[in-house]
């Protein structure tokens, strides 16, 4: 059961104290407080864990500090959509709103290879009006003998260049808690020129210890990729590890499933789950067409599979796109074959724009609303 | 190697005779003649099988009967896209053109349960300007104790009602060669009021004997569904069984893969393969959203997953949609949970129209052509 | 519900007539009679289909013709193991008993390529005391351009050579009903020198029309292979198509699942399902190590993977082994890489013998019985 | 390329110095030194990384410090079996030898729930002559709201009880580097009464940062479980992360793959890969029947699937068994349905013994050796 308290309630107020003394009196019920910072106000949620079936909704609602009561179902306690659950599916970061209703594009380098590449990329983003990017500093690789990313060494110039070209948020994968410290330090050293969205990759979707640590900090939002050998349900439960530790600023990313059924694509594209994740949870949903497709093949209509697969996510309501570009794909140290060229960035944005408009037209039809 | 002969060439002409005598002289080469009826003219293809590596393209081109020579790659000899292969990716049936460039919608009953249902469906189709439908008479079911379809008993009224309401093509699954005879007979008895597209279901994708028999007749086009436990490559090879027997009027259908990775959908949606199949072969590509999704759930934006998944196929260039409707889904004997209601037909068509327009806008962009 | 009648009951007897008149009086219940020929006697089963929940077991038991009553669960009506179901899990053919308690080895040619190969194989089998074999005349192949088997042309010499070398049963795949006629004809022409076990391959596991036709004849037992893209449950339901048409002489074969998770083996070995199928149904279970492994690699202990995987099936109680041999694997037209050489036949039999003995020792332990 | 130096070579010796100066002179070659402690002597391996194709084997062999030179293939540099690679596939720990030639059984608690359970388990192990066990203190669970294990709190009594009952090695999963410190501390506090084999679970197979940390310590051997959504090849590469950091005392564990193809078992049993892993690498191979099967069902022969699946691993040469027992499976907090009872321990050991003997008989056949 979740009690949504009145906005901006003061922990020293009389009504809050009365709530506390009431809760202390409940036997066999554990209490957890979560504070959710919205665009306009701070919401306090009180989560009651244990044998809540016996609790009275009416008694709860009668408490003066309580604005709303949600009886949660078993699944996805923090992030799920429960009955009478009107909590928003959005959060703010760096002046941007991330929600199930809008769309952000994070085009960038799969792996940072040099300051020159980073600058070319940033320059192209700025020229195309983009304020978000992806930059891979820590690269988990199948083999220990492959390039593992430049790590903390590249952070200062990545952040500085981001600031120089007006980038507000960089999606960056981390694979160990120490990377979080390194990112904080580099941001501080460089004067906080940009923001970071921490990315948890598909190999670490069930690295619960890392999720807990990332969940305990509330500075950076988290982009959690679906695990490639587990069910969707299990990946959504992994997101609960983040949320239950306190950080609900989570975007869930689909990136394709590893199975030869997906050939000739690199992975089996799973963007049909975009509407499903939005139904099951309140998380915005990201798609990663680059890792799904893994090549630059194009269809008989002359359009790249990469564009087509991106369009499939967007037409179904995807809220974020993570896509690989590179100034010179042939020389990229990681995943070059799937990277788009910088001169294709405007085409890509144009293509996404057409599709997003079609999605918004679909959504505006009256039968959509009335059919609910 | 394939020799494309001059259009409408006469088998009694001197140049044709000269070709024949030339081919007889080739050692270790088997010859197969395929006639392909296009919209305007008949094309004769001569397929040379065996050790063709040693043959001279120039000699072939010099033969007066020969217009064009294609050196086929190993894969998909009849249906693939080979170098210098300009054969069209389309065919005509019942006055309609089926190609990789356009889109047809086949809304209808998964399983025929009564003449009343059929008439209600046909009426709704006519009211919405539709001339194609799907009607299941022969139903392969997991258990022998489940309803197996009304079979040939329902054919007369299905065909008559189709004629009455102006339906030109019915997609109808067959699971045995005798069904082909039954369909021919019922069409004749009822005066050929409509046309039929023979559907081979996912359980019979590698029922090669059935494919050969269906491939030997050229009256009906064939809708071949992808096999659900095999690779895409294997399913495309299955289509070659149809083509190599003489029938190249084939549409390839994606219908989802059977794996629990696809949960909560009934199957793992595989429409990302729409552009891939169009690149690898010259077949138009159909999508079957009903069997892929298997439910009437809707996303947080109020749109049904069924609509979203259909949109994903269409935005990537799908050429045909096979979709289940029913006048009363709750009473449907087969797959009721995934059927749309008749009052949703206009919404569905409207939604598809929006998305198809977006696809055509995407395709018209200049960078698409220039990037080829 | 299934009524097991008294052994060898006469359809003209008074008690049988009384049963018939009783059954006619049951409303909404359909009746099917199945006769099962056992080693010593013929068993008549009366299957009651429909709303049987309301029927009284006591009334049924009181009928003089009835020896035993089984209330079937939903699953696997004919072949399943129901409560109080003591029907035997075995059948006889050509003087051999096939049951869940014993083991038969079918070593032979994946594909018949020449009479010489067949004779060499048969000779080796006789020299090693074998009376069963596998011989592929009809070969379903992924591509229509691959060798499709010698078909009916090879049947006469295959059957004659079988007779010459004392082979009692040949497992032979068929892919169309006409093959059944061709086999019957060739057996008759050659004087019934041997027996045939009809094999339904993994591509036809859900070719229900073929299953029904094969199920309607009772002359030949059937070896049904598991479908490679469907669940075990669905494959077991396919076996019901055979049984519900009248033929319960079925062996269920495991042959590996198609998924890259099984690499470096050709398929993902699924022999862990040997005990599961024996628990769920009364069918003897066959394993096909050749198609599962697909190569001649050996482990660091010097033993071929083919031997190891066979051993895994046998140690868990497999009842039949289908294994590819060839006089000259390098020249085999189909699946040469997975074939064993004739000089390895005695090693193979020796290895299987060691493992089967261990299985029988395991089964004889007192705690096995008492733990039931 | 790997240089195996003379046993027990002194880093201050003249021949070692000469080797060093030679290596320094090689351009573009990185050098890593690995020391491998065998039963009798310490082996020093010098790994040359980079463009080694141009190096001369003869020059290397001529160096007085070098005993043997191995040109490694691309795959599994440290753990693979390369040409002329006679390095042993074994290691010692706590007086026990773990190798590809023998078998150890680790029966124990999936999750430690109380000191009483631990003591009952230990007592039963001692009574049955066992010196190894499994004990789960840190439990990664799909949901953050499930029991996560007693963690470091239970370590002191687990270790003390192990010592009291003569247990030499406990397999224990860790999910974070801090658990390694906690285990070291608890062992020290309790006086090192037993040894620990660090277990990396299937969710962390590609948690490369954890693997690197565990690989850097050489005190504890590591049991690495296969990742459940990745290929075998990828899981074997994960083992290289351990080895390349210095710890080659690794056992590779098969535990079933997550896919509904495995139903009705909890996972798809993958023990057919036992011989494959032993061929591809020098790691001993462990099987985990409990997590593969996930239930206590038994076959029609009265034997538990758990026993059958264990037998399948052992008959193919498995070197270690990880199996769940519990004094009272119904009250177990984690995975009770798959646990065996303590009174079944002797049956289990008896069953394994029969099968292992059969395996050893198979291995002793002369044709095995000669066929190599």
């Amino acid at each position: 059961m979740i009690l949504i308290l009145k906005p901006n309630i003061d922990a020293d107020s009389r009504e809050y104290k009365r709530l506390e003394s009431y809760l202390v009196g409940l036997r066999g019920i554990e209490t957890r407080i979560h504070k959710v910072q919205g665009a306009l106000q701070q919401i306090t949620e009180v989560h009651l864990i244990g044998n809540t079936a016996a609790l009275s909704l009416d008694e709860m609602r009668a408490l003066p500090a309580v604005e709303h009561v949600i009886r949660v179902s078993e699944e996805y306690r923090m992030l799920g959509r429960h009955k009478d659950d009107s909590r928003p599916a959005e959060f703010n970061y760096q002046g941007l709103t991330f929600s199930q209703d809008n769309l952000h594009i994070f085009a960038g380098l799969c792996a940072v290879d040099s300051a020159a590449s980073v600058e070319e990329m940033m320059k192209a983003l700025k020229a195309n009006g983009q304020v978000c990017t992806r930059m891979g500093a820590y690269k988990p690789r199948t083999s220990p003998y492959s390039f593992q990313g430049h790590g903390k060494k590249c952070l200062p110039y990545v952040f500085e260049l981001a600031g120089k070209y007006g980038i507000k948020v960089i999606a960056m994968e981390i694979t160990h808690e120490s990377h979080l410290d390194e990112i904080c330090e580099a941001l501080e050293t460089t004067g906080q020129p940009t923001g970071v969205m921490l990315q948890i990759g598909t190999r670490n979707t069930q690295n619960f210890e890392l999720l807990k640590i990332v969940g305990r900090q509330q500075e950076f939002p988290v982009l959690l990729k679906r695990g490639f050998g587990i069910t969707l349900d299990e990946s959504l439960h992994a997101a609960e590890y983040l949320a239950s530790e306190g950080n609900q600023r989570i975007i869930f990313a689909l990136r394709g499933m590893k199975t030869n059924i997906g050939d000739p694509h690199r992975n089996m594209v799973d963007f049909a789950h975009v509407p499903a994740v939005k139904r099951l949870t309140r998380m915005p949903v990201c798609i990663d067409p680059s890792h799904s497709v893994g090549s630059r093949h194009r269809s008989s209509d002359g359009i790249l599979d990469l564009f087509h697969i991106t369009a499939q996510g967007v037409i179904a309501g995807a809220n974020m796109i993570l896509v690989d570009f590179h100034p010179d794909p042939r020389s990229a140290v990681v995943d070059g074959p799937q990277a788009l060229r910088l001169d294709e960035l405007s085409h890509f944005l144009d293509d996404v724009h057409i599709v997003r408009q079609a999605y918004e037209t679909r959504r505006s039809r009256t039968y959509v609303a009335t059919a609910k």
Side-chain angles (χ1 to χ4, degrees), chain A:
Chain A
M1 189 175 286
I2 303 174
L3 314 182
I4 310 291
L5 304 194
K6 291 192 170 142
N8 302 321
I9 193 169
D10 184 349
D12 294 326
S13 64
R14 181 182 297 188
E15 34 189 12
Y16 194 90
K17 296 290 179 197
R18 178 156 159 214
L19 171 69
E20 284 185 322
S21 65
Y22 177 82
L23 294 174
V24 164
L26 300 175
R27 270 198 246 167
I29 299 291
E30 187 195 335
T31 303
R32 288 197 201 175
I33 310 295
H34 290 276
K35 298 200 185 281
V36 183
Q37 185 62 51
L40 301 174
Q41 53 193 18
Q42 195 190 54
I43 301 294
T44 304
E45 298 179 6
V46 181
H47 290 243
L48 308 183
I49 298 165
N51 181 23
T52 60
L55 300 182
S56 155
L57 260 74
D58 286 341
E59 263 187 50
M60 297 293 166
R61 285 189 194 115
L63 294 164
V66 172
E67 175 150 304
H68 190 61
V69 182
I70 302 170
R71 196 178 273 290
V72 299
S73 49
E74 286 294 301
E75 298 293 88
Y76 323 131
R77 188 181 294 173
M78 300 290 292
L79 298 167
R81 293 183 169 280
H82 309 291
K83 194 164 174 299
D84 298 325
D85 183 355
S86 57
R87 289 176 296 165
E90 65 174 58
F91 63 86
N92 294 282
Y93 180 61
Q94 293 281 106
L96 303 174
T97 300
F98 293 87
S99 94
Q100 286 198 342
D101 292 328
N102 62 10
L103 174 65
H104 292 279
I105 300 175
F106 283 63
L109 304 180
C110 175
V112 169
D113 44 10
S114 70
S117 289
V118 173
E119 181 144 26
E120 277 194 76
M121 186 74 232
M122 300 285 191
K123 201 180 291 184
L125 289 167
K126 186 181 174 70
N128 283 279
Q130 299 300 299
V131 295
C132 298
T133 190
R134 70 168 307 190
M135 289 284 151
Y138 307 95
K139 302 302 303 175
R141 304 299 298 281
T142 300
S143 164
Y145 311 112
S146 303
F147 172 65
Q148 310 269 318
H150 284 312
K152 71 173 171 181
K153 278 182 297 182
C154 68
L155 298 183
Y157 66 77
V158 167
F159 294 158
E160 280 165 4
L161 288 165
K164 177 175 172 188
Y165 290 99
I167 298 297
K168 293 183 181 171
V169 187
I170 301 173
M172 183 174 277
E173 178 166 3
I174 65 168
T175 60
H176 189 259
E177 60 206 74
S178 60
H179 304 159
L180 178 55
D181 299 332
E182 292 170 6
I183 287 169
C184 285
E185 196 186 308
L187 280 173
E188 203 167 341
T189 310
T190 55
Q192 309 286 348
T194 187
V196 170
M197 182 181 287
L198 300 172
Q199 186 179 321
I200 306 291
T202 191
R203 292 173 181 82
N204 286 303
T205 305
Q206 290 192 316
N207 179 348
F208 300 134
E209 298 304 319
L210 181 59
L211 294 181
K212 286 180 195 168
I213 290 163
V214 171
R216 262 172 231 140
Q217 63 79 36
Q218 307 215 14
E219 186 172 352
F220 306 109
V222 185
L223 179 67
L224 178 66
K225 285 203 173 179
R226 179 182 189 173
F228 49 28
I230 54 178
T231 60
L232 180 62
D233 175 67
E234 288 167 319
S235 288
L236 296 178
H237 271 108
E240 285 282 307
Y241 270 92
L242 293 164
S244 68
E245 294 288 340
N247 191 342
Q248 292 194 42
R249 303 205 289 180
I250 311 169
I251 295 176
F252 188 82
L254 300 167
R255 47 85 71 213
M257 304 301 288
K258 186 176 281 285
T259 156
N260 58 345
I261 293 175
D263 294 347
H265 292 149
R266 179 174 173 185
N267 287 294
M268 177 76 187
V269 181
D270 54 353
F271 299 171
H273 281 149
V274 167
V277 174
K278 289 173 75 174
R279 168 174 63 254
L280 295 168
T281 76
R282 295 177 296 113
M283 292 185 277
V285 178
C286 174
I287 54 169
D288 177 347
S290 302
H291 284 81
S292 301
V293 171
S295 77
R296 287 181 51 87
H297 288 295
R298 57 182 81 230
S299 193
S300 59
D301 55 16
I303 301 175
L304 287 164
D305 278 23
L306 266 167
F307 281 42
H308 274 313
I309 272 60
T310 301
Q312 291 188 325
V314 173
I315 201 68
N319 307 113
M320 176 173 160
I321 304 169
L322 202 67
V323 58
D324 292 358
F325 277 78
H326 198 277
D328 181 13
R330 284 163 308 177
S331 76
V333 290
V334 179
D335 288 339
Q338 72 194 29
L340 293 167
R341 300 188 311 265
L342 295 190
D343 64 306
E344 290 168 322
L345 179 54
S346 64
H347 307 163
F348 184 81
L349 296 172
D350 185 23
D351 200 61
V352 168
H353 180 68
I354 296 167
V355 182
R356 176 69 189 180
Q357 276 200 313
Y359 169 71
E360 289 179 359
T361 304
R362 298 177 62 214
R363 202 173 54 177
S364 69
R365 285 299 192 257
T366 51
Y367 58 79
V368 169
T370 57
K372 269 191 193 177

